[in-house]
Amino acid sequence: MASSILPFTLPSLSSFNPSQRPYLFHLRGAVPQSQNFGLKASRLLRQDDNCLNVMASGNLSYAVTQENVLNWVKQDNRRMLHVVYRVGNLDRTIRFYAECLGMKVLRRRDMPEQRYTNVFLGYGQEHAHFVIELTYNYGIDSYEFGNGFGHFGLAVDDVSRTVDIVRVKGGKITREPGPVRGRSSVSALIEDPDGYTFELLERPPSPEPLCQVMLRVGDLNRSIKFYEKACGMELLYMRDNPESKSTIAMMGYGPEDKNTVLQLTYNYGVTEYDIGDAYAQIAIGTNDVYRTAEAIKLAGGTVTREPGPVPGINTKITACVDPDGWKTVFVDNVDFLRDCGN
């Protein structure tokens, strides 16, 4: 079957920087662009119905297709690592998560020169579990939520008991325990001190208690395609809810009962959302942030941070936004494990 030709621009010799590591995709793997240089300046550009080949003296040929990119992304070692959001009072939020939800502080990172602090919390060590990364920016005590962020899903063995604990501790319950619409399971909604919503889901013991991140999107098919191609996620299932006039799509890197998933929610007729500045991003592990950035671009995504080390931390990352503006950061797996060890 013929595939469409992707737009492709050859870098100029004068602009080449040997310290950069952009990648092109070949049928046999990824080859650094730096190998293009040293060829004669004249090149013949040839197109056929399957790929775009760059031919040059030296018998070097690159085949760039959407299929190649998607295959590499699917084979990459990816996992949802943590979700990042901003809070106005670290001590207050940590106390609520520990006393009401049973989370533990895993590590803390103070960045005084950049004027922020990160605290990681969860139900297991970061190298094997999805966790929360709280960000406190010095001197900022509140943020705008907008109307795009939905909730975090939290699997618990007894929703009513958890709600009682939240109530005793002075927490806010926005929906009392009750059956999930159309199913027999029980859920409830609570808010943390900053206003983030958690949906408590009554489930058997799960390896990932922090099990969902829900975001609202304006075009569900467009978003599914982005997360499949740019992020390498799998569409686990879709569910239409005519009564609530919404459709959800569950995306992830494995079965919902064993992995944290991304829940995309489309509300009938709503095509745009205000994403605010409270929720920040999801972090995903990758074996190569440089190839990841190239794959995002070739899949039609927008890279907002070119791949490379973060100043002061030296962890290699790259970042992108989806069609609705939701941000994803990809983190080098080796660097991530080193950070966890520290």
Side-chain angles (χ1 to χ4, degrees):
M1 180 181 297
S3 61
S4 58
I5 303 301
L6 294 172
F8 179 72
T9 304
L10 286 169
S12 66
L13 289 172
S14 61
S15 65
F16 172 60
N17 181 348
S19 67
Q20 295 176 331
R21 292 184 55 196
Y23 279 82
L24 297 178
F25 289 83
H26 188 268
L27 288 172
R28 292 169 296 185
V31 183
Q33 278 186 348
S34 58
Q35 294 182 15
N36 284 332
F37 300 93
L39 300 176
K40 292 183 179 180
S42 61
R43 291 170 171 85
L44 175 64
L45 203 62
R46 189 186 71 188
Q47 298 181 161
D48 59 32
D49 61 351
N50 291 315
C51 63
L52 176 124
N53 289 329
V54 180
M55 305 298 295
S57 58
N59 298 320
L60 183 62
S61 173
Y62 290 109
V64 183
T65 70
Q66 287 183 329
E67 183 179 2
N68 293 338
V69 175
L70 184 58
N71 284 341
W72 180 84
V73 169
K74 290 289 186 181
Q75 293 166 10
D76 190 18
N77 182 22
R78 297 194 175 185
R79 179 177 70 85
M80 292 173 63
L81 305 176
H82 51 253
V83 61
V84 186
Y85 51 99
R86 304 173 181 96
V87 299
N89 185 317
L90 270 178
D91 292 337
R92 178 186 65 186
T93 303
I94 291 170
R95 185 166 56 251
F96 178 85
Y97 288 178
E99 295 180 357
C100 297
L101 303 180
M103 296 187 196
K104 295 181 179 180
V105 174
L106 303 172
R107 64 182 168 112
R108 182 185 183 110
R109 181 169 60 205
D110 293 304
M111 304 293 290
E113 293 186 3
Q114 290 79 21
R115 297 184 56 78
Y116 73 85
T117 297
N118 296 134
V119 175
F120 297 79
L121 302 97
Y123 297 97
Q125 294 302 311
E126 292 176 72
H127 71 274
H129 295 276
F130 185 74
V131 306
I132 288 171
E133 178 183 338
L134 301 177
T135 297
Y136 170 69
N137 293 298
Y138 294 2
I140 302 178
D141 58 9
S142 65
Y143 293 91
E144 295 294 329
F145 276 80
N147 61 356
F149 172 76
H151 63 257
F152 304 117
L154 188 61
V156 298
D157 58 1
D158 190 327
V159 167
S160 296
R161 185 178 62 191
T162 304
V163 166
D164 288 343
I165 294 172
V166 172
R167 200 188 318 272
V168 168
K169 296 293 183 179
K172 184 177 181 180
I173 294 90
T174 57
R175 191 182 75 207
E176 293 290 341
V180 177
R181 182 177 296 168
R183 289 177 287 170
S184 59
S185 56
V186 175
S187 74
L189 295 176
I190 64 170
E191 283 187 7
D192 77 0
D194 290 273
Y196 292 98
T197 296
F198 283 78
E199 182 176 21
L200 305 178
L201 301 162
E202 193 160 287
R203 294 180 176 180
S206 168
E208 289 288 14
L210 190 60
C211 58
Q212 293 178 5
V213 177
M214 192 275 261
L215 304 173
R216 298 183 179 95
V217 299
D219 183 326
L220 193 56
N221 289 331
R222 178 184 65 182
S223 295
I224 290 171
K225 182 181 296 185
F226 173 84
Y227 284 99
E228 285 179 332
K229 293 190 174 183
C231 299
M233 291 187 183
E234 176 187 355
L235 174 61
L236 303 175
Y237 64 87
M238 295 177 65
R239 181 183 298 122
D240 188 44
N241 302 295
E243 291 184 13
S244 62
K245 296 183 179 180
S246 65
T247 304
I248 66 170
M250 291 296 192
M251 311 286 298
Y253 295 108
E256 185 182 14
D257 60 337
K258 294 182 174 62
N259 299 271
T260 302
V261 298
L262 176 63
Q263 177 181 326
L264 303 175
T265 298
Y266 168 71
N267 293 303
Y268 296 179
V270 182
T271 58
E272 293 184 6
Y273 289 96
D274 175 5
I275 64 175
D277 63 358
Y279 172 88
Q281 69 234 11
I282 289 174
I284 296 172
T286 175
N287 283 344
D288 195 320
V289 297
Y290 299 92
R291 295 186 185 184
T292 294
E294 201 64 32
I296 291 167
K297 294 173 184 177
L298 291 172
T302 301
V303 172
T304 57
R305 190 192 191 284
E306 292 295 335
V310 178
I313 302 175
N314 293 324
T315 299
K316 293 185 289 296
I317 69 168
T318 190
C320 68
V321 292
D322 75 1
D324 292 274
W326 298 115
K327 184 178 178 181
T328 300
V329 172
F330 292 88
V331 183
D332 179 88
N333 283 325
V334 173
D335 291 351
F336 173 72
L337 292 177
R338 181 201 64 210
D339 290 346
C340 294
N342 293 335

